[in-house]
Amino acid sequence: RQKKKAKKKKSSKADRKSQKEDEGPVFGKYGIIKLSDLPQKQRSFSVWLEEVKGLAGFNGPKWELQNYFKEYAEDYNTATLPHIKYYDYDKWEMEEYQKNKAASSETNESAHMLEHQENAKKKKDQGFDLVRSMMSNEKIQEMKRQRQLQSEMAHAFKTGDQARYLQLKKRLEAEK
């Protein structure tokens, strides 16, 4: 009985934790800031001020800036800012940079491999073209005739026709 009660207590604690997570923003989830933290959070605050409030390059009085920062701090502390980048803009910016860098490097690698393969194919084709251009039509015909004689010689050898085999062998040796 005691074990069952202990299990029920543990499961009910787990249920309460999951309910708290489902409730939404948690106070202090990203830390707690106050007015004295303005210098440390200046970049994130400036981005928030520009994008959320629409006040780019705010040059108003200090008291008005402090009021905006109090509003920012309240949203920060209650974890209700519209985007995660407003909590630590530098960190978010670095993560985005790393993501983009990884994506572009994969793209660059595949493009580089494709380019390398195309260059290799062009080089191979150029090699064939060079060999073809250096050979005359007569040379090409001669190579084809020698290949034909070699295949006839191999056939004569396999069938046991020694006379034909020796005749073709002499002819090939005389031409070389």
Side-chain angles (χ1 to χ4, degrees):
R1 284 187 176 187
Q2 290 176 356
K3 289 182 183 179
K4 287 182 182 178
K5 287 182 182 179
K7 283 184 183 178
K8 285 182 182 178
K9 284 183 182 179
K10 286 182 185 177
S11 65
S12 64
K13 285 181 183 179
D15 291 341
R16 280 188 240 133
K17 283 184 182 178
S18 67
Q19 285 175 352
K20 285 182 183 179
E21 292 171 2
D22 294 340
E23 288 176 5
V26 177
F27 184 82
K29 180 178 180 180
Y30 299 101
I32 297 175
I33 60 171
K34 50 188 178 257
L35 190 57
S36 62
D37 294 319
L38 177 60
Q40 291 86 10
K41 294 293 180 182
Q42 183 66 44
R43 181 99 193 271
S44 299
F45 173 63
S46 297
V47 172
W48 174 82
L49 201 57
E50 181 179 331
E51 293 179 4
V52 176
K53 292 298 180 179
L55 301 170
F58 181 76
N59 288 336
K62 186 176 180 180
W63 63 268
E64 195 173 354
L65 182 71
Q66 288 176 346
N67 285 341
Y68 280 121
F69 188 77
K70 285 178 187 175
E71 184 179 342
Y72 169 78
E74 181 181 335
D75 288 348
Y76 185 100
N77 294 339
T78 57
T80 56
L81 289 173
H83 195 275
I84 195 158
K85 69 181 175 183
Y86 302 120
Y87 294 100
D88 190 349
Y89 188 75
D90 294 327
K91 179 182 172 186
W92 177 83
E93 190 175 43
M94 187 55 75
E95 289 171 354
E96 288 296 306
Y97 171 76
Q98 294 296 336
K99 286 179 191 175
N100 291 339
K101 184 178 173 185
S104 68
S105 70
E106 288 175 8
T107 304
N108 288 344
E109 274 183 41
S110 61
H112 178 69
M113 294 265 292
L114 185 61
E115 182 181 337
H116 187 15
Q117 289 172 346
E118 288 174 3
N119 288 341
K121 185 178 180 188
K122 284 180 185 177
K123 206 176 223 184
K124 185 179 176 184
D125 290 344
Q126 287 173 350
F128 284 136
D129 291 343
L130 180 64
V131 169
R132 283 190 200 119
S133 67
M134 294 177 91
M135 288 204 241
S136 64
N137 281 341
E138 293 120 19
K139 181 75 173 173
I140 294 171
Q141 292 300 323
E142 179 62 27
M143 289 175 69
K144 286 181 180 178
R145 197 175 64 70
Q146 282 185 356
R147 213 172 334 153
Q148 178 66 30
L149 289 174
Q150 287 173 347
S151 66
E152 285 180 28
M153 188 175 77
H155 180 69
F157 181 77
K158 287 179 184 177
T159 59
D161 189 358
Q162 287 292 329
R164 177 84 175 138
Y165 172 75
L166 292 173
Q167 179 189 13
L168 291 170
K169 186 175 181 182
K170 281 181 186 177
R171 195 197 270 177
L172 278 172
E173 287 174 358
E175 289 179 6
K176 287 185 182 179

